[in-house]
Amino acid sequence: MKLDLLCLVITVFSVFLFSCGPGEVIEVEPLQIQDPKIARAEAWSRSRLASMTLAEKVGQLIMVASPEWEGKSRGQTISGEELEAFAERIDQLHIGGLLLSNEDRQSQRLLAHRVNQKLDSPVWVALDASQKWAEARGYPSLQSLGATNDANFAYSWGMAVGSECRYLGGHIVFTSASTIPLDAQKEPDAISSQPERSRLLSEALVHGLEDAQVIPSVRFLPSLKTIPNNFSGLFPENSSSFDSMKVHEFAPIRALLKEQIEALALSHFSISVIDTLPASLSSSIQKEILRHELKYKGLIFSPAFRDCLFFTEFEPGEAETMAIKAGTDMIVSPSELEPTLMKLIKAVQEGLITEKDLNEKVHRHLFKKALLGLDTLFIRHPDSILTHSPQVRLEELNRSITASSLTILRDERGYLPLKKVATTKIATLSLGPGNRTSMQRTLDLYANMDHFYLNRYAGSGEYAAMLRQLKKYDYTIVDIHPGLSHRDSCGRLPQATLGFLYALRNATRSIVANFCPPAVLPDLDSLQVLVHAYDDRELTHRAMAQLIFGAATSTATLPFSVNPTFEVGMGMPRGEKIRLSYCDPEDLGIDPANLRPIDSIIYNAIRLGTFPGCQVLAAKGGKVFFNRTYGYHDYNRTRRVSLDDVYDIASVTKIAATTLMAMWSYDQNNLKLDSPIKTYLKELDSSYITIKDITSEELLTHRAGLPSGLPFYKYFTFVDSADTVRSQVYRTQKDSVHDLQIADELFLNSTILDTLWDRVRTVRLSTRGAYQYSDMSMFILKRVLERIHNTELDKFVRKKFYGPLGLKSIGYHPLNRFNEAEVIPTEWDRWWRKQLLRGFVHDESTAIFGGVGGQAGLFSNTRDLAVLMQMLLNKGTYGGTRFISEETVRKFTSRYPNSHRGLGFDMQKPVPEQDRGMCCFSASPTTFGHTGFTGTCAWADPDTDIIFIFLSNRVYPDRKNQKINIYRVRQNIQQIVYNALGLDLPPEGICVPVDEEFICLTQRDSASVDSLGKILICQ
C-alpha cells in the first residue's frame, strides 16, 4: 500500500515537471516558521490590549519624570514611604513609562524597581544620557567623543551607558548621537557637524547600547531652526531643499534606520522647508517621512514638554494631544500629568485620535516590552540585576575620552610635548579663576615652575606687569577659563586679554590651553601653541597638563567648524607618550574596592607599631593609578605624611644612584665589568691590598667575598679607645679640622677618612664567587666610578639623571633642599649619634663619609622613584630623552649568569614561593628592584609593566622593629595591587596580621578581602 502511494506521488510530480516550459523557474513560497519569542510577545500584547480600558491605554502613552525630591542632597537616598507614594500614583494613572532624573543613583535604582514591582502592567524605565546628565555625573560631552573620532570609544561608551541604564533598572537610553546641528559649537549634545563622522560614531554608540541589552532612542533633528536662511549653506544649487536635507541632515538617521533601530526621539524645533510646526507636532515629519517614506516601524518618543517655553500659549495637555495625533507614540514628561491624560481621553472619545491609531500605539509598546521579557512581571531585586556597578567602566572611559579629545590646533614649531626641562625656566599663568588651577597643580608633577594667575577683572595695567614678569621665562603655559569675558562666557575675549596674549607670543614661547567655549577660538588664531578642550572640568585640567608634558597623546580633531580658519577635522596629532601619567584606578578597569585592602593592611600595621606612616605608589603601563600616603611622621601624630615628604630610602640608593652611574659608564665603554678594580684605582696595585683583583661584575652581584658591613665599628663606638680619642675625632661645632657634618651639631675630623679607606683596602675576603650581600660592594664601586669620571656620585646622578628627568625630591642631603618639616624622621640613634636622625642619613658607613654613599644616603618620595623605574622599564628612555642604551638596561636588569640577581639589582625568585622572598608571589621572575633597611622598596615588573614603590620609616623609633618583615607588609600590599589588576592571589592565599594574629585570604574568598578592609578601617 505504501509503495503504491509513493509511485503515485512520483508520477504526479513527473507530469508536473514535464508540463513546465523550457527554462521556467517555479517559485515556491518558503515555509514561515515564527520565532517562539515573537509569537509569545504578540499573543501577550494582543491579549493585554483587549483587556485594557481607555484610561489604561492612554496611560501607556505617557512617560513621567521621576520627582526631584526637595531637601535630598546628592548621595542621600529616598525613603520607602516616598517610593511607595510615587509608585502608587503611577499605578493609579496606569502610566507606561518612567524617566529617571539626575539625582542619587541608588534612589533612582530603587525607584525603578519599586515602580515595576508595584504596577499591573510593565513600565518603560528610561535614562536620558544628555548633556545635562553628563554634566551632573562629570562625564564628557558628545562633542568630546566626536573629537576623538574613535568608533571603539563610541561603542564602549554606548555599552557602558547601556550597562548603567540596566544597573538602574532601565530599558531605554535617549541619546543625541546621530544629530547634525547647524551650529555645533553651541550644541554639546551632538557628536559632530560632519555627516560621515556623525554617522560612524553614532552607529557605533547605538550598537554599544544594543549590545548592553537596552533600547537606544536616538534624537531626530534636535536643532534645525525655523529660519529658512539657516539652510542656504547646506544645499547645493539646482536641487530642492528637502532632497538636499535628506542627503545632509537625514544621512546619519537613515543609516541607523537601516539597522532597524527600535526607537526615535523628536525635538521641538521645526524644519521650515517641510512644516512650520515643530517636529514634535508635525505629521509631515512623523507620518509622511518617518512612517511612509523611511518605512520606520519603531517607537517615536516626544521631547520633554515640562518646562518647555515653546507651548506657553497652549492649555495644559493640548500640545501633547497634538503630538499623539501627529504620530508620537509616547509623551515624555508632560507639562501637567492629569490634564494631559484627560485631554487625550477626550480626544479619543471625540474621534480626534482614532481607536485604531490608539490601539496601534499601545500595541507597539506592549509588544516591545514583551520582547524584553517585561510581560512576565517577574521583577528581580536590583541587587540581583547587575551586581557589578558599571561606574568603574564609565569612569575609565570618562578619563580616556577626555584625554583623547584634547585637540592641538596650533603647534607648527613642535613645542609639544615639552621635553628637556632640566635647564628650562617655565612659568604658568591661569586666566579667569584668580587662583591656582588643577592644571597648574598637575604641571607641578613634571618640572619645577613658577605659577601666576589673574582673575577676570584684571585690567591692562595688571596684564602689562605680568608680561614684564614672564619675559624672563623660556616657556609660559597659559590656561584660559570660562567667565573671563565677564557676563557672556560664550562671547569674545576681552581686548586686554587678547593684547596680552599677542605680546606674550613675542616675548616668550607660549602654550595656550583653552577651556572656554569654541566661540573664542577665532581670537586665538595666531598663537604659537593652542590646545582646545571641550569643557572646564578638573579631570580635563589634569589631562591637559599631562598632554603638554607627553604623559598623554592626542589624535583628536575638531568635530565642527568655528570659522574658515578652524574647520571640522582640524588637529595636529601627537602620538608619543614619553612620561608617566596619573590616573584613577577606573582608567585601568580596576574597581577601587579591590584596592581597599591596602588601607586595611597599612592601618593595621600602623596600629601594631610596624611604622608610623608610609607612601605607596603603583603604576601599570606608564599610568600611576595608586599614589597615597598613610599615617604620620612619628607616633606623636604631629604631622601627617604628604606626597611631597621625603624618606631615607637606604639601600634603594644602590639602584637609584650607584647602579645608574655604572650603567651609564658601561654604556660609554668607560667601565669594563670583567676588569679588576685596580685598573681604575691605581693605588690598589700593591701586594698587601686584598681587594685589588675584584671586578665590577663581582661588586654588582655581591660575589666578591666581601663582609656584609664596613669595618668601622670602633670608630662609631670607640670601645677600645679612651674618651679623649673620641673628643679628638668629633666636635659639636664645625672648625677647620672637624669640617664633615654627620648629624645635627656633630662634626667629624675628616682626616680619619684615609685611615678608614685603608681598612677597606685590606679587608679580609671570604670565598670569592659565592653570594654574600655586602654594603662594601657599592661603597667600593662608588670609588671606582668617581675616579673614572673625576666627579662625585651625587653631582653625577643629579646632572645626568635627576635634572633631565625633572625629578624634584630625590637626592642626597635633603636639608639643603627642603624644610626640616618635609623630611620624615628616621630613627632615634641611641648608639652613636645620640639624637633623632632627620635629614641625616641613617646608615653609619655613609654618614661617616659625609652622607653621600654608594650603598645609602638618598632621600626621595615615591613619585621620583617611580620615574626612575619607568625609565628602566622603557629600556632607558624617558621624556623623549635616551639615558641608557636598551642593551645595557636589558643586561643589568636581567638575571646574571650564576646569580639569582641582576647587576646591581635584586630580583624576584626564579620560581616564586609563597611567603618567601622580598616580592609578592604574583610578581614575575623578571621583576627587578631593591629594598631598603629603613622599610622601603622599589620594584619594576617588565612582564606585566607594573611598578610598585613603598616607603616608610619602620626603624622609627629604633631599628630593632622587625614587624614589617614578620608581617610581610610590603609583599602583601604588592600582592593586592596585582590582584586588583586581575593577577590573582596564589592558590594558598596571603596571610595578613589582624591584632597580631594572621588571617589567610584566598583567591576563592575575595569577599574576605573586602570584609577585612571594612573591619580594619573601622578599627
Side-chain angles (χ1 to χ4, degrees), residues 89-273:
R89 185 163 180 258
I90 290 181
D91 187 26
Q92 291 173 354
L93 299 175
H94 316 292
I95 299 302
L98 171 67
L99 179 64
L100 299 177
S101 75
N102 293 323
E103 288 196 355
D104 172 65
R105 292 171 73 242
Q106 188 63 16
S107 293
Q108 298 303 303
R109 192 179 185 207
L110 292 172
L111 177 63
H113 166 68
R114 193 59 171 267
V115 165
N116 263 322
Q117 185 185 50
K118 179 75 177 176
L119 303 189
D120 293 333
S121 293
V123 175
W124 286 130
V125 177
L127 173 67
D128 189 357
S130 62
Q131 178 65 13
K132 184 177 180 181
W133 171 81
E135 289 176 352
R137 296 283 177 252
Y139 294 147
S141 65
L142 285 177
Q143 276 189 6
S144 298
L145 188 60
T148 70
N149 200 17
D150 189 323
N152 290 327
F153 271 147
Y155 174 84
S156 299
W157 186 249
M159 175 73 88
V161 173
S163 298
E164 170 74 356
C165 180
R166 286 185 57 227
Y167 179 78
L168 298 175
H171 323 105
I172 297 174
V173 172
F174 292 112
T175 176
S176 302
S178 68
T179 58
I180 303 287
L182 288 181
D183 192 359
Q185 57 177 307
K186 295 181 181 178
E187 295 282 352
D189 230 358
I191 283 181
S192 174
S193 60
Q194 191 176 40
E196 184 61 18
R197 183 183 301 204
S198 179
R199 182 185 67 80
L200 289 174
L201 297 184
S202 61
E203 281 186 21
L205 190 146
V206 165
H207 287 323
L209 290 168
E210 291 173 337
D211 288 350
Q213 300 176 19
V214 298
I215 296 175
S217 181
V218 179
R219 285 200 175 83
F220 180 59
L221 309 178
S223 58
L224 293 179
K225 310 301 181 186
T226 59
I227 304 174
N229 292 338
N230 284 356
F231 302 98
S232 59
L234 295 179
F235 311 128
E237 296 180 3
N238 303 321
S239 66
S240 71
S241 295
F242 178 65
D243 290 340
S244 298
M245 184 174 56
K246 286 193 294 184
V247 173
H248 180 275
E249 177 68 30
F250 281 40
I253 203 70
R254 287 177 73 99
L256 289 174
L257 292 178
K258 288 181 181 179
E259 302 287 333
Q260 298 181 339
I261 189 169
E262 295 186 66
L264 291 177
L266 300 174
S267 79
H268 286 314
F269 296 122
S270 64
I271 306 172
S272 58
V273 295

Side-chain angles (χ1 to χ4, degrees), residues 4-145:
D4 293 340
L5 181 59
L6 178 60
C7 292
L8 178 61
V9 171
I10 293 173
T11 302
V12 172
F13 185 70
S14 300
V15 172
F16 176 75
L17 286 178
F18 284 116
S19 69
C20 298
E24 287 190 63
V25 178
I26 306 301
E27 293 186 2
V28 181
E29 183 73 20
L31 181 63
Q32 296 291 329
I33 302 177
Q34 190 171 21
D35 185 333
K37 185 178 179 181
I38 294 177
R40 181 185 59 78
E42 181 68 29
W44 179 83
S45 58
R46 292 293 179 189
S47 172
R48 185 76 186 90
L49 180 64
S51 66
M52 295 177 75
T53 65
L54 176 58
E56 289 176 324
K57 291 179 183 179
V58 169
Q60 288 297 298
L61 307 185
I62 302 295
M63 176 177 283
V64 297
S66 61
E68 297 178 357
W69 280 276
E70 295 182 2
K72 299 290 183 184
S73 60
R74 187 167 298 281
Q76 185 178 359
T77 58
I78 58 178
S79 67
E81 292 78 11
E82 291 170 315
L83 286 173
E84 186 71 28
F86 184 74
E88 188 71 33
R89 185 163 180 258
I90 290 181
D91 187 26
Q92 291 173 354
L93 299 175
H94 316 292
I95 299 302
L98 171 67
L99 179 64
L100 299 177
S101 75
N102 293 323
E103 288 196 355
D104 172 65
R105 292 171 73 242
Q106 188 63 16
S107 293
Q108 298 303 303
R109 192 179 185 207
L110 292 172
L111 177 63
H113 166 68
R114 193 59 171 267
V115 165
N116 263 322
Q117 185 185 50
K118 179 75 177 176
L119 303 189
D120 293 333
S121 293
V123 175
W124 286 130
V125 177
L127 173 67
D128 189 357
S130 62
Q131 178 65 13
K132 184 177 180 181
W133 171 81
E135 289 176 352
R137 296 283 177 252
Y139 294 147
S141 65
L142 285 177
Q143 276 189 6
S144 298
L145 188 60

Side-chain angles (χ1 to χ4, degrees), residues 651 654-655 659 694-708 766-779 781 854-855 896 898-906 930:
S651 287
K654 293 179 172 70
I655 64 170
T659 301
I694 294 173
T695 66
S696 299
E697 171 193 299
E698 291 174 315
L699 294 175
L700 286 163
T701 56
H702 297 275
R703 292 186 298 123
L706 293 166
S708 59
S766 57
T767 305
R768 285 177 62 182
Y771 173 75
Q772 180 172 313
Y773 184 82
S774 171
D775 278 347
M776 289 187 69
S777 295
M778 290 298 180
F779 176 86
L781 184 60
Q855 71 277 24
Y896 206 67
N898 303 317
S899 175
H900 67 279
R901 300 173 62 101
L903 288 169
F905 293 92
D906 196 2
H930 217 284

Side-chain angles (χ1 to χ4, degrees), residues 242-542:
F242 178 65
D243 290 340
S244 298
M245 184 174 56
K246 286 193 294 184
V247 173
H248 180 275
E249 177 68 30
F250 281 40
I253 203 70
R254 287 177 73 99
L256 289 174
L257 292 178
K258 288 181 181 179
E259 302 287 333
Q260 298 181 339
I261 189 169
E262 295 186 66
L264 291 177
L266 300 174
S267 79
H268 286 314
F269 296 122
S270 64
I271 306 172
S272 58
V273 295
I274 299 177
D275 196 339
T276 57
L277 288 173
S280 56
L281 307 184
S282 172
S283 61
S284 297
I285 292 175
Q286 298 186 50
K287 290 183 177 179
E288 295 176 20
I289 295 178
L290 291 178
R291 295 296 187 195
H292 178 68
E293 181 179 343
L294 299 178
K295 310 299 182 186
Y296 178 63
K297 297 181 180 180
L299 296 170
I300 298 177
F301 290 87
S302 79
F305 280 85
R306 190 176 67 177
D307 300 327
C308 179
L309 300 179
F310 284 91
F311 307 111
T312 54
E313 71 275 15
F314 288 86
E315 293 182 6
E318 186 176 354
E320 290 89 334
T321 302
M322 292 174 64
I324 292 294
K325 185 179 178 181
T328 301
D329 291 315
M330 179 165 272
I331 299 296
V332 177
S333 189
S335 55
E336 293 187 34
L337 181 55
E338 283 85 352
T340 298
L341 290 171
M342 293 174 61
K343 286 277 187 184
L344 288 173
I345 291 173
K346 184 178 179 181
V348 175
Q349 291 171 339
E350 294 178 352
L352 297 176
I353 299 174
T354 67
E355 189 78 26
K356 178 177 179 294
D357 195 15
L358 176 63
N359 288 339
E360 286 179 354
K361 295 177 187 296
V362 176
H363 175 263
R364 270 195 289 269
H365 285 293
L366 294 175
F367 178 70
K368 290 189 178 295
K369 288 177 179 178
L371 285 179
L372 284 181
L374 302 183
D375 57 313
T376 62
L377 285 179
F378 173 67
I379 308 301
R380 292 174 292 176
H381 190 274
D383 289 342
S384 66
I385 296 173
L386 194 64
T387 56
H388 179 69
S389 172
Q391 266 197 309
V392 171
R393 182 60 173 153
L394 280 166
E395 292 299 330
E396 174 189 356
L397 288 168
N398 179 14
R399 288 161 177 80
S400 298
I401 292 171
T402 299
S404 300
S405 70
L406 301 179
T407 307
I408 303 173
L409 298 175
R410 290 279 185 271
D411 187 23
E412 285 79 5
R413 298 185 182 181
Y415 290 162
L416 298 181
L418 293 180
K419 293 182 179 178
K420 297 181 178 180
V421 298
T423 57
T424 303
K425 293 186 66 177
I426 303 173
T428 75
L429 172 62
S430 174
L431 297 179
N435 50 31
R436 185 172 295 190
T437 63
S438 293
M439 175 177 161
Q440 290 176 309
R441 287 192 292 271
T442 306
L443 288 169
D444 265 334
L445 297 173
Y446 296 102
N448 287 307
M449 57 190 72
D450 297 323
H451 301 292
F452 304 93
Y453 46 84
L454 290 172
N455 63 34
R456 66 178 187 172
Y457 302 106
S460 57
E462 290 167 290
Y463 277 116
M466 183 61 65
L467 182 63
R468 288 192 294 271
Q469 279 189 290
L470 297 178
K471 282 182 177 180
K472 61 185 179 182
Y473 292 91
D474 300 309
Y475 284 95
T476 299
I477 303 171
V478 182
D479 48 311
I480 307 175
H481 299 271
L484 189 62
S485 53
H486 301 273
R487 295 180 181 179
D488 184 11
S489 63
C490 294
R492 310 297 287 269
L493 293 174
Q495 286 301 315
T497 305
L498 293 177
F500 166 78
L501 290 174
Y502 292 138
L504 184 66
R505 173 193 60 188
N506 299 321
T508 181
R509 286 171 282 189
S510 59
I511 298 169
V512 176
N514 178 49
F515 297 97
C516 289
V520 307
L521 289 177
D523 292 335
L524 308 175
D525 183 20
S526 59
L527 297 180
Q528 293 173 327
V529 180
L530 175 61
V531 189
H532 179 63
Y534 296 86
D535 55 65
D536 195 36
R537 295 174 296 151
E538 286 196 13
L539 175 63
T540 313
H541 291 194
R542 296 194 296 268

